[in-house]
Amino acid sequence: KPLKKIAEAFKELEATIKSQTQVEVAPFSHACSLVSPLFGCLGIAFKFAEMDYVAKVHDLAEASKSIGTLQSVLDKDVERNSVRKGGSHSRNLLRVKRGLDMVRVLFEQIMVTEGNSLKGPASKAYAQVFAPHHGWAIRKAVAAGMYALPTKAQLLKKLNEDESSAIIQMQSYVAASAPVIMYVDKLFLSRELGIDW
């Protein structure tokens, strides 16, 4: 079951953050890769996000072969003056973090929204996390795609979950991912790199 795997992987990352200062790139990119199928389950509205997210997670997984920690990812790009360059590991890390945050907000919204529609939860998650970084054309395309979202029941079926088990795993991911997302933000902010680009 994908939600259980995602929740467990992020609980492990959260435990790492609480117990030590260094997060290794390999387990981070592995946990992030488990989130990829969620974007695919959301249909056409999130197709661009899925392709972008998968490519950036793959880049981090490749980087993990030669770079040990998330701190090192940023420090190497700072040294090369390539943090904000397209394709840099740092830029990809920031984009992956936004994907994790979007899923976190989506799950929060699903848990507090009545009914079977995902349009409200997905629209709120997109507006909060991605929209501030997207131009008008992308925002319009996403808004149009929101009408093609699966229902909550269809999403749960694709994820092989019933509502009660899904809620437990979503709550677990929301709780465990928040400190992971904050950790990545702090890495950027502690180096005065900002997180709004």
Side-chain angles (χ1 to χ4, degrees):
K1 291 191 169 187
L3 286 183
K4 188 170 172 46
K5 284 182 183 166
I6 292 166
E8 286 171 356
F10 277 86
K11 276 191 208 162
E12 286 174 26
L13 285 178
E14 179 191 23
T16 300
I17 288 167
K18 285 182 174 173
S19 69
Q20 58 196 56
T21 54
Q22 303 279 318
V23 172
E24 290 181 13
V25 182
F28 177 82
S29 61
H30 174 71
C32 295
S33 73
L34 298 173
V35 175
S36 301
L38 282 177
F39 289 104
C41 291
L42 292 172
I44 196 78
F46 288 92
K47 192 67 190 165
F48 77 95
E50 178 191 17
M51 291 170 6
D52 191 54
Y53 180 86
V54 168
K56 291 183 174 35
V57 170
H58 178 74
D59 172 72
L60 292 176
E62 287 298 306
S64 75
K65 294 172 184 173
S66 61
I67 303 173
T69 64
L70 294 181
Q71 287 91 328
S72 301
V73 165
L74 288 180
D75 293 341
K76 284 184 190 311
D77 282 345
V78 167
E79 279 171 33
R80 292 186 199 118
N81 199 22
S82 63
V83 169
R84 291 180 183 232
K85 289 194 175 126
S88 79
H89 301 315
S90 298
R91 191 170 188 267
N92 290 344
L93 175 60
L94 188 61
R95 300 301 193 273
V96 166
K97 187 265 316 187
R98 283 188 195 137
L100 300 177
D101 203 20
M102 212 262 350
V103 171
R104 183 187 63 80
V105 176
L106 175 66
F107 284 178
E108 285 176 344
Q109 293 300 319
I110 287 172
M111 291 188 288
V112 299
T113 303
E114 294 291 319
N116 201 23
S117 174
L118 290 180
K119 188 175 182 292
S123 296
K124 282 182 182 163
Y126 175 78
Q128 188 175 322
V129 179
F130 284 133
H133 309 286
H134 286 167
W136 179 85
I138 292 176
R139 289 197 306 266
K140 284 290 172 205
V142 171
M146 290 292 179
Y147 292 96
L149 284 167
T151 63
K152 190 192 304 185
Q154 288 167 331
L155 175 65
L156 294 180
K157 189 174 182 194
K158 284 180 186 177
L159 295 171
N160 196 20
E161 296 279 354
D162 61 46
E163 190 152 356
S164 59
S165 68
I167 294 298
I168 291 166
Q169 301 307 334
M170 287 180 184
Q171 285 171 330
S172 181
Y173 173 80
V174 166
S177 66
V180 174
I181 291 162
M182 198 180 306
Y183 175 84
V184 174
D185 281 347
K186 283 180 183 168
L187 287 180
F188 279 87
L189 296 172
S190 69
R191 288 157 179 78
E192 298 181 2
L193 300 172
I195 52 172
D196 293 325
W197 45 277

